[in-house]
Amino acid sequence: MNGGARLAGEVRVVGAKNSVLKLMAAALLAEGTTTLTNCPEILDVPLMADVLCSLGCEVDVQASTVTIVAPATLRNEADYRSVSRLRASVCVLGPLVARCRRAVVPLPGGDAIGSRPLDMHANGLRKLGAHTEISHGRVVADAEDLHGAQIWLDFPSVGATENILMAAVLADGTTVIDNAAREPEIVDLCTMLQQMGAKIEGSGTSTLTVHGVTALQPTEHRVIGDRIVGATWAFAAVMTRGEITVQGVDPHHIDLVLDKLRSAGADVSTAIDGFSVAMRGRAEAVDFVTLPYPGFATDLQPMAIALSAVAEGTSMITENVFEARFRFVDEMVRLGADARTDGHHAVVRGVERLSSAPVWASDIRAGAGLVLAGLCADGTTEVWDVEHIDRGYPRFVENLRALGADVARVAAEPER
Ligand code: EPZ
């Protein structure tokens, strides 16, 4: 891409990656056909479909609709190759324990942003009566008697909350998950489970109470809009001093983000199903602290760093969720950013203009952050390993071009 363009126009955001993948896993909980609409056309959806097929489902992915036919009897061992390609597939653990009373799921392992252990998932399943072992690269859970329990999470982990919730809905008795995650994607999952007949109280709060039932029914569900993708477009408007209207996202899911952008000098207006962000001049530096929802999302940390790199003044960015998520900063420095990290703090002094360079995307959000930074650099920036971006941002290049960016996808990859 060539930097310098002011992005302007409208962009429609579709369903959330971090919701649709869990909703696909939740379809395992009921024999029959579950249909998901407003699904994002991203690489992760067919990867998740492969995992469900390895468990005996039939899955049809047609544009923004995913149809899952779950059989009466599921296989309880997920395929290693499919799981190893998609970290999120660990969320089949809870549904398999619930339906089969046994689950064998390969460990997805860590990635560019952290070690990502599964201890809270395992401890929660143990509390529900599942004998759970993590060994030989797999999580093996056996539950002759799956029963309700009081569970406190050490940290409001999204994944652990989802797995425990999806096991508890078919357990005998009542489960209380305290310090549960409160992300909008958790609420979306609770809504779909309730449509399937689950009895859940406290959706969106840090205490979830689940009254187990004996069976669930398949359903049809519309996936919520992707707040992380929506917010990424908001940062793009501010960084390029542009004006973008985003549709398809509930602005209340990113209240704090929009407030931060107002503090940076942006004009922000909201509507029921979207928002607009306009930036007249150069952004003011603001500080960011990543926290579980409703705090500032760690998935937007690379966008916060990219914005701070071109803002007027010095910003402090604190990462409290993933221990290795500042790896991205090295690539920003290649683009001329004045940024330093120390433990879970990064200090970024804004520069008037970044300078173009070839850079590498280490994960989905880092990739998007580097593209936004490249749009603010003089010269031609090349972002490599962009398949990371395709895993989370549908039609990213097409949307950027429609907003006026001078960007193109090139096939070839240089030797690193
Ligand atoms: C989900 O990951 C998202 N992924 C992540 O988005 C997101 O960053 C994260 O939630 C936090 O919001 C999906 O939904 C597919 P966690 P998850 O369990 O569930 C530690 C993206 O770019 N932890 O809330 O894996 C963990 O290591 C991705 O879209 C344990 O120590 O996140 C981390 O430091 C990246 N033990 C923290 O908790 C456990 O058993 C939060 O992890 C579980 C988690």
Side-chain angles (χ1 to χ4, degrees), residues 17-19 21-22 44 86-91 111 113-123 154-162 181 183 185 226-228 291-293 297-300 319-323 325 363-366 391-393:
K17 169 184 84 78
N18 291 346
S19 188
L21 301 175
K22 320 313 172 49
D44 279 10
L86 178 65
R87 235 209 89 69
S89 55
V90 74
C91 64
D111 61 12
I113 62 175
S115 58
R116 308 185 74 174
L118 298 176
D119 54 314
M120 287 188 254
H121 300 238
N123 292 342
D154 297 342
F155 185 90
S157 152
V158 170
T161 300
E162 292 162 338
E183 274 68 3
E185 295 77 26
D226 196 320
R227 64 190 169 105
I228 304 297
L291 285 169
Y293 191 85
T298 173
D299 293 346
L300 292 170
E319 173 58 56
N320 290 311
V321 181
F322 287 106
E323 73 279 8
R325 201 157 207 174
D363 66 83
I364 302 171
R365 311 305 169 184
R391 291 191 41 227
Y393 290 85

Side-chain angles (χ1 to χ4, degrees), residues 209-413:
T209 303
V210 184
H211 305 288
V213 296
T214 51
L216 295 173
Q217 308 312 315
T219 188
E220 176 154 343
H221 182 80
R222 181 181 168 79
V223 185
I224 58 167
D226 196 320
R227 64 190 169 105
I228 304 297
V229 171
T232 301
W233 292 120
F235 275 90
V238 175
M239 290 176 63
T240 64
R241 309 180 191 189
E243 180 158 4
I244 300 178
T245 296
V246 173
Q247 289 152 337
V249 171
D250 179 341
H252 293 306
H253 290 170
I254 52 170
D255 277 336
L256 191 148
V257 179
L258 296 177
D259 199 50
K260 280 282 174 191
L261 297 179
R262 283 190 188 94
S263 310
D267 294 332
V268 176
S269 58
T270 62
I272 293 180
D273 185 40
F275 55 87
S276 294
V277 175
M279 193 69 188
R280 314 268 167 245
R282 186 176 174 193
E284 293 293 316
V286 289
D287 294 341
F288 296 89
V289 177
T290 73
L291 285 169
Y293 191 85
F296 184 84
T298 173
D299 293 346
L300 292 170
Q301 181 247 79
M303 278 34 99
I305 298 237
L307 170 61
S308 304
V310 294
E312 179 95 52
T314 302
S315 308
M316 165 90 90
I317 294 95
T318 304
E319 173 58 56
N320 290 311
V321 181
F322 287 106
E323 73 279 8
R325 201 157 207 174
F326 278 142
R327 274 207 197 124
F328 155 80
V329 172
D330 301 342
E331 294 304 300
M332 283 298 298
V333 170
R334 293 165 63 83
L335 288 171
D338 178 351
R340 250 160 292 219
T341 62
D342 178 5
H344 65 153
H345 296 294
V347 174
V348 184
R349 283 195 194 81
V351 296
E352 184 63 40
R353 204 122 189 83
L354 293 169
S355 49
S356 58
V359 287
W360 273 260
S362 53
D363 66 83
I364 302 171
R365 311 305 169 184
L370 289 169
V371 169
L372 266 53
L375 293 172
C376 302
D378 59 22
T380 304
T381 293
E382 299 161 356
V383 179
W384 300 102
D385 294 355
V386 291
E387 68 284 348
H388 286 296
I389 301 176
D390 297 334
R391 291 191 41 227
Y393 290 85
R395 301 171 47 73
F396 198 50
V397 170
E398 294 82 349
N399 285 325
L400 280 167
R401 292 171 72 87
L403 292 166
D406 179 0
V407 58
R409 186 187 286 267
V410 291
E413 290 254 352

